[in-house]
Amino acid sequence: MKVHFYPKAILLLLLSVLLWSCQSSDSVKFAFLTDIHVVPGNENEMVFARAVGEINRSDANFVVITGDLSNMGSDAELNAVKAILDSLNKPYYILPGNHETNWSETGGATYKKVFGDDRFDFNQDTYRFVGFNTGPYMKMGDGHVKQEDMAWLQKTLSSGDKSKHIIAMAHYPLADGLDNWPEITETLKQQNVKMALCGHGHKLQMMNFNGITGIMGRALLSRDKTDQGYNLVELKGDSVWVSEKKLGQTPEQMFAWNIHESKQIEGLSISELPNYDINKQFERVAVKWDYTDSASVLGGFDMHPSGMLAWLSSDGYLRCINKTDKQMLWEHHLGTPQYGTPVFYKNMLIVGTSQGKVRAFNVADGMPVWETEFAHPIFGEGVVDGDQIFISLGKGGMASINASNGTLVWQFNDVEGFVQVKPCVTYKEVIFGAWDRHLYCVDKTTGKLNWKWNNGHGAILYSPGNVVPAVAKGKVFLVAPDRYFTVLDLKTGKQLYRTNEHQVRESMGMSADKEYMFAKLMNDTVVAYPTDIPEKGELWALDCGFGYEHNPCPMIEQNGVLYGGTKNGEVFAINTDGGQLIYRYKLGNSSVNKLMLNREGNLMVMLMEGHIFELAFPFGEEIKL
């Protein structure tokens, strides 16, 4: 046997090659955090700082955070998160969650200012990481990937190095709860994406996203606050290891698999595709007209007597079309994104913008007429009453503006949270809720406070911040996320009646004759109360069969028919005389944002995915309109 002796330099070279091969460049380890829910001074903030310190001492290459950085997406909360991340000695990539997009005093503007974009695309060795925003946007509802983000995702995934393993990241699971999950997962599968990470559920678990292996990360703190930690992901070649890292403890491996194998998710539940079979039961319902925008629509629309339709799009456009021929009459790019709803007033279209302006445009040619600038983003829908428009101003409270020339009549800004809701305007009062647990009633002429009512709940997220109250017979009616039906005295704000017998949410409506108040429950049911003596209890409660529900879109009533919409693109009509279902009809899979009746008595419907429909139904003698 011949023995070879190598010089010391050669031995060092061979050792270096051996070490390099053991630590191949396709080996990647990263910390995966989600649902950290920081509020300045709360326990989550302190635990997050500890986690960042621990990650700094680890061998992780980078950090990914998939949303719910904060509790309400406030400027103070986002800046508190950024201050801690500034101490991180590794690159980090971050996405918003529903707590940043649903409740935000700036409509997401501060998030982008502090963290940059709300999506990312980067490479690390042989892996590619693509993250995108899943909403929802300034209202309760399922998650939603905006149409322009869908286009970005398709374009991004179709370009770049095809040899890399692509890992998708989002806040919402790519399943039920994200309205356009079928389109998202098909787009990912077309580009051979085999793995997706998400948050939202607070529990570390493996999932099945329409055949894509999914990992939901654990939250920073357990719900009982006793368990603190984050997730670790290690990639090497085709292999994946996912571990739970409790603070101060050794990581515990939870899952391991080959990225090309699907057997790891066989047997795990998979979301069912949207089902339109309900439409077969109501074949007399007809889609008479429809229009599709190129972007999503996060607010509602308005109709002009001349046949014009106008709305704001998620890519920042104010659009006005001729309903007859669907031709675009004019459009303006106001800045992205937009959440409000335009309102026609005589020969003008008035809209509040995310850029903090109330603007008026000439209906005929779209030319600007006037604008009034405020200090905060505006998200809501104004109410025209006479020659005034009453409109919420975000953190600026509520305003009355001369609709003819834009002159500010009064502004009430003694609020502790932001105001986004469409106000209820009566003969003498303007009533509105805010994200500060209060309902406010101010004098319509002067804007002076008459009274304010507090729901008594400590959690701001239970505020009547996105419900349009109603007034009848000297009483104010409202429902809210605290799941109570409440009746107040109009003059004094004194609480007259309050019950949580039914799990109501934010969607309600009043009959045109003001004899009945209607509310949508969180599961299947619509309930009716008399407005004269509501404490008698409900007149009827109808199980409509639409499932779990939290869409805040107000219901409308006309000629004894109540119309409502759901978070999954379904509309329903109920005979209010006894509460019988007339029809249910599924138009899409995203939130119904606005319902209106046109001159023909047909139902106009706006879906968040950018679709507008006109529905006709031959009621005939069934309802005796």
Side-chain angles (χ1 to χ4, degrees):
M1 175 176 152
K2 185 180 288 187
V3 179
H4 294 278
F5 293 91
Y6 293 95
K8 184 177 180 180
I10 296 178
L11 286 173
L12 289 174
L13 178 62
L14 290 173
L15 180 60
S16 298
V17 171
L18 179 62
L19 288 173
W20 179 85
S21 64
C22 291
Q23 298 177 349
S24 173
S25 62
D26 69 350
S27 178
V28 173
K29 181 184 288 187
F30 62 94
F32 164 34
L33 283 77
T34 190
D35 300 275
I36 59 179
H37 293 283
V38 166
V39 175
N42 76 344
E43 184 178 0
N44 295 56
E45 183 183 37
M46 294 180 285
V47 174
F48 183 45
R50 285 184 57 203
V52 166
E54 187 172 282
I55 293 168
N56 279 339
R57 299 186 295 271
S58 75
D59 60 349
N61 300 106
F62 59 90
V63 178
V64 170
I65 309 178
T66 59
D68 278 7
L69 322 172
S70 62
N71 197 45
M72 285 198 66
S74 70
D75 292 5
E77 291 170 351
L78 295 175
N79 285 318
V81 173
K82 180 62 164 57
I84 295 173
L85 287 174
D86 283 344
S87 66
L88 193 62
N89 61 13
K90 305 174 189 298
Y92 67 88
Y93 305 89
I94 196 164
L95 295 170
N98 58 297
H99 280 255
E100 285 73 62
T101 60
N102 196 357
W103 303 280
S104 170
E105 62 196 61
T106 64
T110 296
Y111 173 89
K112 288 197 173 184
K113 181 179 178 181
V114 173
F115 297 110
D117 208 347
D118 58 1
R119 53 197 186 195
F120 57 70
D121 172 26
F122 69 95
N123 296 324
Q124 183 78 25
D125 293 318
T126 59
Y127 306 93
R128 185 179 183 188
F129 300 86
V130 178
F132 50 93
N133 189 355
T134 52
Y137 307 95
M138 300 304 293
K139 66 181 68 180
M140 281 301 298
D142 280 355
H144 175 78
V145 179
K146 294 179 290 187
Q147 297 301 312
E148 60 268 33
D149 286 343
M150 281 284 296
W152 173 85
L153 185 62
Q154 292 167 348
K155 181 179 179 180
T156 298
L157 291 176
S158 62
S159 62
D161 189 346
K162 300 293 186 180
S163 67
K164 293 186 181 297
H165 297 304
I166 303 175
I167 298 172
M169 296 184 173
H171 178 66
Y172 272 82
L174 310 183
D176 285 339
L178 179 67
D179 59 26
N180 48 356
W181 69 264
E183 293 89 344
I184 296 296
T185 53
E186 285 303 318
T187 295
L188 297 180
K189 289 197 294 186
Q190 287 171 11
Q191 300 301 326
N192 205 29
V193 175
K194 300 289 182 61
M195 177 179 170
L197 305 182
C198 72
H200 194 59
H202 289 216
K203 180 182 179 181
L204 179 57
Q205 59 180 318
M206 183 173 279
M207 305 185 77
N208 184 341
F209 298 150
N210 196 19
I212 299 172
T213 303
I215 294 293
M216 175 188 287
R218 61 154 293 160
L220 181 68
L221 272 77
S222 60
R223 297 191 186 278
D224 62 5
K225 304 290 187 179
T226 60
D227 183 14
Q228 306 171 358
Y230 53 96
N231 317 278
L232 285 174
V233 179
E234 186 171 1
L235 308 167
K236 184 176 176 61
D238 297 336
S239 299
V240 183
W241 297 270
V242 177
S243 301
E244 180 178 23
K245 177 65 177 74
K246 295 184 179 181
L247 294 190
Q249 299 183 29
T250 302
E252 179 182 359
Q253 183 178 303
M254 305 299 289
F255 309 110
W257 74 97
N258 185 294
I259 203 168
H260 295 297
E261 295 181 358
S262 61
K263 64 182 180 181
Q264 291 284 343
I265 57 173
E266 291 177 2
L268 294 179
S269 62
I270 184 171
S271 297
E272 295 184 3
L273 291 170
N275 190 323
Y276 289 77
D277 287 350
I278 188 67
N279 296 356
K280 298 176 183 177
Q281 300 180 32
F282 302 97
E283 294 181 345
R284 297 177 69 198
V285 179
V287 175
K288 185 177 179 180
W289 180 92
D290 69 281
Y291 183 90
T292 303
D293 198 325
S294 57
S296 294
V297 177
L298 309 179
F301 68 100
D302 199 13
M303 299 185 295
H304 191 269
S306 65
M308 297 178 181
L309 286 174
W311 64 89
L312 287 162
S313 65
S314 60
D315 58 357
Y317 280 90
L318 171 62
R319 294 192 166 106
C320 184
I321 68 167
N322 184 324
K323 180 178 178 291
T324 303
D325 58 13
K326 302 184 182 181
Q327 293 300 306
M328 186 71 65
L329 297 174
W330 50 265
E331 63 180 1
H332 288 290
H333 190 258
L334 305 180
T336 56
Q338 297 296 329
Y339 302 94
T341 299
V343 179
F344 284 108
Y345 163 75
K346 296 182 179 178
N347 64 337
M348 286 185 282
L349 182 65
I350 304 174
V351 61
T353 74
S354 299
Q355 287 65 43
K357 298 178 180 180
V358 179
R359 304 182 65 179
F361 299 88
N362 185 282
V363 168
D365 55 16
M367 293 300 293
V369 179
W370 57 258
E371 71 174 44
T372 304
E373 188 165 359
F374 296 92
H376 305 286
I378 300 169
F379 316 118
E381 177 179 353
V383 174
V384 171
D385 187 277
D387 288 324
Q388 290 174 260
I389 181 168
F390 301 89
I391 188 167
S392 60
L393 301 176
K395 290 196 73 176
M398 181 64 60
S400 170
I401 300 172
N402 185 308
S404 299
N405 56 31
T407 302
L408 179 65
V409 179
W410 55 255
Q411 181 178 352
F412 176 84
N413 59 1
D414 188 16
V415 294
E416 300 169 34
F418 68 93
V419 183
Q420 73 172 103
V421 71
K422 177 181 178 180
C424 172
V425 179
T426 72
Y427 178 66
K428 293 182 178 181
E429 299 91 5
V430 179
I431 305 165
F432 58 94
W435 287 107
D436 61 5
R437 301 177 297 131
H438 289 96
L439 186 77
Y440 295 87
C441 176
V442 300
D443 184 270
K444 181 179 177 181
T445 303
T446 66
K448 291 184 178 180
L449 180 67
N450 291 335
W451 52 260
K452 66 178 182 178
W453 170 84
N454 186 298
N455 66 4
H457 204 291
I460 292 177
L461 298 183
Y462 290 137
S463 300
N466 199 20
V467 57
V468 183
V471 169
K473 302 182 180 180
K475 307 181 189 74
V476 181
F477 300 82
L478 73 148
V479 297
D482 61 3
R483 300 169 194 179
Y484 275 82
F485 165 44
T486 304
V487 184
L488 308 174
D489 181 80
L490 175 61
K491 289 185 179 180
T492 65
K494 179 182 177 181
Q495 186 172 295
L496 302 176
Y497 179 65
R498 184 165 162 84
T499 179
N500 67 345
E501 178 183 358
H502 298 290
Q503 295 293 293
V504 294
R505 189 72 194 221
E506 292 164 302
S507 178
M508 57 172 281
M510 183 77 71
S511 62
D513 61 11
K514 298 188 180 297
E515 293 295 324
Y516 308 105
M517 178 265 186
F518 309 99
K520 181 152 55 74
L521 277 59
M522 293 184 67
N523 280 290
D524 296 309
T525 303
V526 174
V527 63
Y529 283 88
T531 56
D532 55 352
I533 311 177
E535 55 269 27
K536 282 185 175 181
E538 76 273 9
L539 294 170
W540 50 259
L542 175 65
D543 185 342
C544 297
F546 45 64
Y548 175 66
E549 175 56 32
H550 47 58
N551 178 19
C553 179
M555 295 182 286
I556 58 174
E557 188 272 350
Q558 183 172 293
N559 297 328
V561 180
L562 176 70
Y563 301 90
T566 75
K567 67 183 179 66
N568 294 128
E570 191 174 301
V571 293
F572 56 84
I574 298 172
N575 179 355
T576 60
D577 183 15
Q580 293 90 29
L581 182 68
I582 300 172
Y583 69 76
R584 286 171 49 197
Y585 202 82
K586 188 170 176 62
L587 293 165
N589 206 43
S590 63
S591 291
V592 174
N593 282 356
K594 185 71 180 286
L595 300 169
M596 293 183 73
L597 291 166
N598 61 19
R599 286 184 167 184
E600 292 76 31
N602 293 332
L603 184 66
M604 303 292 296
V605 185
M606 170 66 81
L607 299 188
M608 183 179 287
E609 60 206 65
H611 293 174
I612 310 175
F613 296 90
E614 179 183 7
L615 280 188
F617 184 87
F619 291 103
E621 297 300 315
E622 295 181 39
I623 302 301
K624 296 182 179 179
L625 294 181

